[in-house]
């Protein structure tokens, strides 16, 4: 009986708390609605910054084309096509601008909200990117041909063959021309490097050149498409709001017309003569008033549209695809599961062009109409050759790009030009020397190759923490099996604070560079520090699935509180169901960069529309959703922490920079700490 009485009392208390929560629910949600207006303000600032950037480019008049303007980029492409006889150094110098234009177009596609992008713009930008990529590679081929025509003039005195290495921050060229055609000279090593080839006897005796063009970027893997789901959704919202604006305008106009018709009819019965002069005023006054009212309503509805589209874009960042994109061929690399790192190694066997000859003080040069030609190895038909091993594989030794981190031995993939994808067949004897950062392998035929790593090698994460550092600055720490990554965020910028490998600090090219969130995410991915799940990642990682709407609401509200509160990983998050998330929280107003030792964390559970403080802590033996004594339910995280927060902390939240809140939210949505930990 005593047990039943205790249960009855507990039930009554629970019901009272629920009733109290329901009573103040609307008030709390209204306050949250006002606080979350910062996301709309941040989006308006982004638009303003984009317009300022366009204006700045316009007034600079430095001759650089605006890649988003088709006429300018087409003119640039046409003019460069007309230029001929450029040396490799000249092409490299021009390539810096070309790469900048390509990156700018890619950023437009990624940073521009999908509801501001039209289909024709997406097609135009994709087309411009492909044209620039193709033209750049064509120019490198043309410059290689000029280099090879003069091979005999720069031949090595010892070997009699030509060897050239040209290095740049974005491209490295290695060229070897077989001028002597000595069948015993089968080992090619470029001086000052470990890079080289082991070529078969038949190639050593042929009139060929071998080129390795290492582009530190990837212009081979097909461009990813911009999600169309958001565009459709945003388009539907836009039409709805436009219709609503028209309806409001019509209703206002009709209402004022009827009101003033009634007034006019009354005036006519009393002052028939005066009405002629007053009619004009009566017509003008309501018209201007209607316009003001309709403009105010339009503005309000536009803000509602912006708020809705921003939240829709945020929700789609954590959307899980219902199925994999397509079926794979045999040996095809799944680019949803793997990522190409360190750029592309373009390996080519080329037919050596006719060499220039000095004649009576002149240099006579034969220029082939068809330009630079590839040497087909092995030949298409091998009927004329008796033995099966007449065309053995070619040995290749490459250096791994210094800015890339491989946490496991990289896989080698070759480009299948016909199928337009990466494949792993035709490659053998792969060996990776991690200390020397060298990889060797054998290829049946040369072509573009790249090194790939598992996209999800850092997932799921082991733990994470988000805490304030200083005024309008926070630190996000993500710990994985291989590394600890610390990211600073201030206003609309992100910085790689530190990377630790095996508890030792690792120097990175990105350290000290402030970038916008999207540029920062791209840069981290390119170095091998990929902690950003995609819509297909749940097919390759065992995740702690949470309903996307709940997850999004949690990240938004954590970002709102991030300037005064620290949040951390909880082992209990995996124990609750998909409709709830659990994390640690504590007030953090100190400016120290080092974490506080043994902090007093509170454990919160949040379902999107209800927050509660749990009785258990991280060291409890069993999971329980029991409410902590003397605490209540709240509809938001903001009101939940308000129960135990200082006035200083709450004041700091209200004065937080909207750009910082938006950037923190974007990073949380991109990393998905609550689902992938």
């Amino acid at each position: 009986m005593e047990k039943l009485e205790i249960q009855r009392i507990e039930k009554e208390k629970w019901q009272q708390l629920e009733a109290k929560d329901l009573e103040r629910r609307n008030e709390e949600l209204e306050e949250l609605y006002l606080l979350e207006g910062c996301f709309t303000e941040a989006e308006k600032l982004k638009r303003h910054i984009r317009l300022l950037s366009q204006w700045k480019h316009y007034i600079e008049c430095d001759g650089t084309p605006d890649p988003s303007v088709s006429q300018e980029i087409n003119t640039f492409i046409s003019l460069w096509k007309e230029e001929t006889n450029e040396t490799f150094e000249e092409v490299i110098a021009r390539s810096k601008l070309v790469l900048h234009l390509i990156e700018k177009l890619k950023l437009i596609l990624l940073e521009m909200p999908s509801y501001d992008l039209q289909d024709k713009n997406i097609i135009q930008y994709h087309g411009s990117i492909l044209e620039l990529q193709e033209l750049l590679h064509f120019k490198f081929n043309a410059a290689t041909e000029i280099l090879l025509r003069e091979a005999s003039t720069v031949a090595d005195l010892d070997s009699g063959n030509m060897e050239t290495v040209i290095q740049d921050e974005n491209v490295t060229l290695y060229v070897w021309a077989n001028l002597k055609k000595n069948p015993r000279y089968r080992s090619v090593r470029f001086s000052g490097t470990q890079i080289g080839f082991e070529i078969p006897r038949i190639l050593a005796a042929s009139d060929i050149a071998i080129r390795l063009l290492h582009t530190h970027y990837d212009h081979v893997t097909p461009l990813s498409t911009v999600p169309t789901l958001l565009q459709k959704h945003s388009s539907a919202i836009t039409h709805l709001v436009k219709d609503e604006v028209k309806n409001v305008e019509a209703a206002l106009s009709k209402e004022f017309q009827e009101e003033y018709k009634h007034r006019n009819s009354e005036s006519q019965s009393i002052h028939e003569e005066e009405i002629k002069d007053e009619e004009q005023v009566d017509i003008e006054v309501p018209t201007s008033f209607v316009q003001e009212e309709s403009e105010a309503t339009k503005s309000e509805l536009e803000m509602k549209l912006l708020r809705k589209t921003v939240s829709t874009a945020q929700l789609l960042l954590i959307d899980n695809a219902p199925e994999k994109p397509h079926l794979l061929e045999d040996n095809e690399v799944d680019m949803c599961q793997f990522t190409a790192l360190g750029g592309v190694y373009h390996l080519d066997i080329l037919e050596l062009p006719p060499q220039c000859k000095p004649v009576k003080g002149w240099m006579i040069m034969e220029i082939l109409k068809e330009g630079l030609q590839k040497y087909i190895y092995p030949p298409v038909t091998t009927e004329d050759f008796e033995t099966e091993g007449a065309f053995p594989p070619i040995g290749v030794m490459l250096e791994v790009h210094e800015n890339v981190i491989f946490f496991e031995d990289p896989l080698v993939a070759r480009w299948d030009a016909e199928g337009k994808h990466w494949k792993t067949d035709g490659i053998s004897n792969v060996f990776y020397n991690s200390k020397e950062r060298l990889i060797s392998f054998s290829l049946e035929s040369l072509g573009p190759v790249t090194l790939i790593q598992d996209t999800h090698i850092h997932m799921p994460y082991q733990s994470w923490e988000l805490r304030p550092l200083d005024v309008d600055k926070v630190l996000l720490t993500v710990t994985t099996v291989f590394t600890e990554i610390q990211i600073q965020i201030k206003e609309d910028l992100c910085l790689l604070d530190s990377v630790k490998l095996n508890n030792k600090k690792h120097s990175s090219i990105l350290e000290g560079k402030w970038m916008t969130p999207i540029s920062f995410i791209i840069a981290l991915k390119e170095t091998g520090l990929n902690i950003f799940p995609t819509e297909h990642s749940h097919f390759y990682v065992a995740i702690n699935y949470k309903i996307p709407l709940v997850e999004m609401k949690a990240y938004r509200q954590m970002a709102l509180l991030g300037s005064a509160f620290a949040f951390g990983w909880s082992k209990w998050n995996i124990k609750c169901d998909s409709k709830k998330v659990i994390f640690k929280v504590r007030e953090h107003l100190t400016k120290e960069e080092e974490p506080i030792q043994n902090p007093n964390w509170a454990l919160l559970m949040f379902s999107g529309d209800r927050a509660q403080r749990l009785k258990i802590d991280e060291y409890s033996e069993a999971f329980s959703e029991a409410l902590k004594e003397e605490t209540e339910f709240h509809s938001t995280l903001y009101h939940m922490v308000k129960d135990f927060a200082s006035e200083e902390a709450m004041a700091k939240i209200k004065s937080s920079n909207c750009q910082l809140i938006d950037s923190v939210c974007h990073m949380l949505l991109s990393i998905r700490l609550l689902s992938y930990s």
Side-chain angles (χ1 to χ4, degrees):
M1 291 295 289
E2 189 178 339
K3 188 178 179 181
L4 290 172
E5 182 63 18
I6 292 170
Q7 287 177 348
R8 186 187 65 77
I9 293 168
E10 289 293 328
K11 189 177 180 181
E12 282 183 6
K13 280 184 182 178
W14 190 272
Q15 288 172 345
Q16 287 170 4
L17 289 171
E18 283 186 328
K20 192 174 181 180
D21 177 40
L22 192 62
E23 186 180 333
R24 64 189 174 201
R25 180 175 175 76
N26 288 339
E27 185 183 336
E28 290 185 349
L29 290 177
E30 282 175 14
E31 192 171 358
L32 178 67
Y33 183 85
L34 293 173
L35 287 169
E36 288 188 335
C38 63
F39 294 112
T40 313
E41 290 302 316
E43 187 55 44
K44 286 168 70 179
L45 274 172
K46 287 179 193 174
R47 288 182 173 184
H48 182 63
I49 289 167
R50 284 195 292 269
L51 289 171
L52 277 179
S53 177
Q54 289 175 356
W55 174 246
K56 186 181 176 184
H57 180 271
Y58 176 75
I59 61 174
E60 279 178 350
C61 295
D62 59 356
T64 305
D66 182 346
S68 63
V69 179
S70 60
Q71 187 176 355
E72 290 188 30
I73 198 68
N74 289 340
T75 301
F76 172 80
I77 290 169
S78 298
L79 289 174
W80 198 27
K81 278 181 179 177
E82 291 172 4
E83 293 183 30
T84 56
N85 298 322
E86 293 171 285
T87 65
F88 211 91
E89 288 80 2
E90 288 172 336
V91 174
I92 283 177
R94 181 67 71 91
S95 73
K96 296 182 193 302
L97 173 58
V98 175
L99 292 172
H100 171 70
L101 295 174
I102 290 170
E103 290 308 308
K104 202 169 178 181
L105 283 168
K106 286 181 178 179
L107 278 176
I108 290 172
L109 288 168
L110 290 170
E111 290 185 338
M112 184 84 74
S114 296
Y115 45 84
D116 282 346
L117 275 175
Q118 296 180 6
D119 287 341
K120 64 177 184 180
N121 295 127
I122 296 170
I123 293 166
Q124 174 198 318
Y125 300 156
H126 271 224
S128 296
I129 290 170
L130 290 172
E131 274 195 81
L132 287 168
Q133 289 177 346
E134 288 169 5
L135 178 58
L136 183 58
H137 198 67
F138 169 80
K139 288 288 183 177
F140 280 135
N141 283 342
T144 303
E145 184 184 3
I146 292 172
L147 195 65
L148 288 175
R149 283 193 212 129
E150 301 169 357
S152 58
T153 63
V154 289
D156 181 70
L157 294 175
D158 294 332
S159 66
N161 297 319
M162 183 273 266
E163 176 195 306
T164 299
V165 178
I166 300 174
Q167 288 187 313
D168 181 69
E169 59 180 324
N170 299 312
V171 178
T172 307
L173 174 74
Y174 303 87
V175 177
W176 176 79
N178 189 19
L179 299 171
K180 285 294 182 181
K181 297 185 280 296
N182 184 346
R184 288 178 294 179
Y185 194 90
R186 296 167 58 184
S187 183
V188 179
R189 284 287 179 276
F190 292 95
S191 56
T193 73
Q194 295 285 341
I195 292 173
F197 301 89
E198 294 294 331
I199 60 175
R201 187 182 182 87
I202 190 170
L203 289 179
S206 300
D207 213 17
I208 60 153
I210 295 179
R211 179 184 70 171
L212 163 56
L213 176 63
H214 180 198
T215 59
H216 304 167
Y217 48 83
D218 179 4
H219 284 176
V220 176
T221 305
L223 295 169
S224 56
T225 55
V226 176
T228 55
L229 182 61
L230 178 57
Q231 291 172 278
K232 291 176 183 175
H233 189 93
S234 301
S235 177
I237 295 170
T238 308
H239 288 309
L240 281 172
V241 172
K242 282 181 178 177
D243 291 342
E244 197 173 337
V245 169
K246 287 178 183 176
N247 292 338
V248 170
E249 283 179 339
L252 282 169
S253 180
K254 189 176 180 182
E255 182 183 331
F256 281 110
Q257 282 175 8
E258 287 179 359
E259 184 180 339
Y260 280 88
K261 274 182 185 177
H262 180 65
R263 288 184 185 179
N264 287 343
S265 63
E266 286 181 351
S267 300
Q268 276 181 344
S269 62
I270 299 169
H271 303 289
E272 287 184 359
E273 292 182 3
E274 293 178 6
I275 199 65
K276 290 179 181 177
D277 296 328
E278 291 180 359
E279 268 182 358
Q280 292 179 352
V281 177
D282 284 343
I283 291 167
E284 289 171 9
V285 171
T287 304
S288 62
F289 191 62
V290 167
Q291 285 176 347
E292 287 175 14
E293 285 289 317
S294 99
E295 285 299 319
T297 310
K298 263 189 194 179
S299 178
E300 187 181 338
L301 287 168
E302 282 172 4
M303 288 302 289
K304 282 183 180 178
L305 166 65
L306 188 57
R307 181 185 284 266
K308 182 67 177 173
T309 47
V310 166
S311 63
T312 303
Q314 290 175 338
L315 186 58
L316 282 170
L317 279 174
I318 55 174
D319 189 44
N320 291 325
E323 56 186 21
K324 290 185 180 182
H326 61 272
L327 294 172
L328 302 175
E329 292 182 11
D330 291 341
N331 302 305
E332 180 184 347
V333 177
D334 185 351
M335 295 310 288
C336 291
Q337 185 179 3
F338 294 95
T339 301
L341 294 176
V344 176
Y345 300 86
H346 297 266
L347 306 172
D348 296 296
I349 305 173
L350 305 170
E351 292 182 4
L352 199 59
Q355 297 299 293
C356 57
K357 298 173 183 177
V359 177
K360 297 181 181 179
W362 293 82
M363 292 298 288
I364 305 298
M365 189 179 294
E366 181 184 351
I367 299 175
L368 299 177
K369 192 175 182 180
E370 57 271 19
L372 193 66
Q373 295 294 302
K374 288 189 177 182
Y375 183 92
I376 307 301
Y377 178 89
V380 179
T381 57
T382 57
E383 293 175 0
D384 298 337
F385 298 88
E386 297 177 1
T387 59
E388 289 184 7
F391 302 100
I394 300 168
V396 181
M397 174 81 81
L398 301 176
E399 290 179 356
V400 176
H401 196 290
E402 60 183 353
N403 297 333
V404 174
I405 307 172
F406 281 98
F407 295 90
E408 292 178 345
D409 289 359
L411 300 173
V412 183
R414 65 171 185 86
W415 180 247
D416 180 0
E418 190 177 338
K420 301 291 182 187
H421 49 236
W422 294 104
K423 299 188 79 171
T424 55
D425 60 340
I427 304 166
S428 58
N429 304 321
V430 180
F431 176 75
Y432 178 57
N433 183 335
S434 58
K435 190 176 180 180
E436 299 290 331
R437 295 180 66 82
L438 295 172
I439 189 162
S440 60
F441 51 91
S442 298
L443 278 173
E444 291 179 5
S445 61
L446 295 191
V449 300
T450 191
L451 307 180
I452 58 175
Q453 179 171 261
D454 187 349
T455 302
H456 311 97
I457 198 165
H458 298 296
M459 304 173 207
Y461 322 124
Q462 292 190 320
S463 66
W464 58 270
E465 185 181 281
L466 174 74
R467 61 184 170 90
L469 272 186
D470 204 341
V471 179
D472 290 330
K473 187 187 285 186
V474 302
L475 182 72
L476 176 60
T477 304
V478 181
T479 306
T480 75
V481 173
F482 296 100
T483 183
E484 180 190 270
I485 301 168
Q486 290 194 323
I487 301 164
Q488 280 193 38
I489 308 169
K490 71 169 183 181
E491 296 181 354
D492 61 339
L493 298 170
C494 298
L495 168 91
L496 182 62
D497 190 63
S498 74
V499 178
K500 286 182 182 177
L501 304 178
N502 300 319
N503 295 319
K504 293 180 182 178
K505 189 168 181 181
H506 175 81
S507 60
S508 169
I509 191 174
L510 300 179
E511 285 181 31
K513 294 181 180 179
W514 287 99
M515 291 176 266
T516 59
I518 289 176
S519 296
F520 179 74
I521 289 169
I522 293 168
L524 269 191
K525 286 180 177 179
E526 287 177 348
T527 58
L529 299 172
N530 192 344
I531 51 171
F532 307 100
T534 67
E535 59 180 339
H536 299 105
S537 293
H538 61 287
F539 291 115
Y540 309 99
V541 184
I543 69 167
N544 180 19
Y545 176 75
K546 301 295 178 184
I547 291 173
L549 187 61
V550 174
E551 200 177 348
M552 182 195 77
K553 285 183 177 180
Y555 295 143
R556 281 168 67 100
Q557 294 182 41
M558 285 164 68
L560 281 171
L561 304 172
S563 58
F565 287 85
F567 295 88
W569 170 84
S570 170
K571 68 180 182 180
W572 300 120
N573 186 43
I574 201 167
K575 296 294 183 182
C576 63
D577 61 39
S578 61
K579 297 176 184 177
K580 303 182 185 80
V581 293
I582 296 176
F583 45 82
K584 298 182 297 186
V585 64
R586 63 180 169 84
E587 187 175 305
H588 186 103
L589 297 175
T590 59
K591 295 181 180 179
E592 294 139 8
E593 297 211 1
E594 290 300 318
I596 296 171
Q597 296 298 319
N598 303 316
N600 185 23
W601 293 99
L603 207 58
L604 298 189
M605 184 168 73
F606 184 56
S607 65
D609 53 13
R610 175 182 285 180
Q612 68 183 76
R613 188 169 176 179
L614 297 179
K615 187 176 182 178
I616 59 170
D617 60 25
E618 281 299 294
Y619 306 102
S620 299
E621 292 183 1
F623 175 67
S624 169
E625 292 189 6
L627 194 67
K628 187 175 176 64
E629 298 86 351
E630 299 180 2
T631 63
E632 300 176 349
F633 297 131
H634 284 281
S635 298
T636 74
L637 292 176
Y638 172 80
H639 294 92
M640 184 71 249
V641 300
K642 196 175 180 180
D643 282 355
F644 57 85
S646 66
E647 289 183 8
E648 186 186 352
M650 300 315 290
K652 197 172 181 183
I653 289 166
K654 288 184 177 179
S655 62
S656 294
N657 181 291
C658 68
Q659 289 178 300
L660 172 70
I661 295 169
D662 185 67
S663 297
V664 171
C665 184
H666 187 88
M667 292 305 291
L668 293 175
L669 288 162
S670 299
I671 300 172
R672 299 190 65 182
L673 300 166
L674 296 171
S675 285
Y676 282 80
S677 294

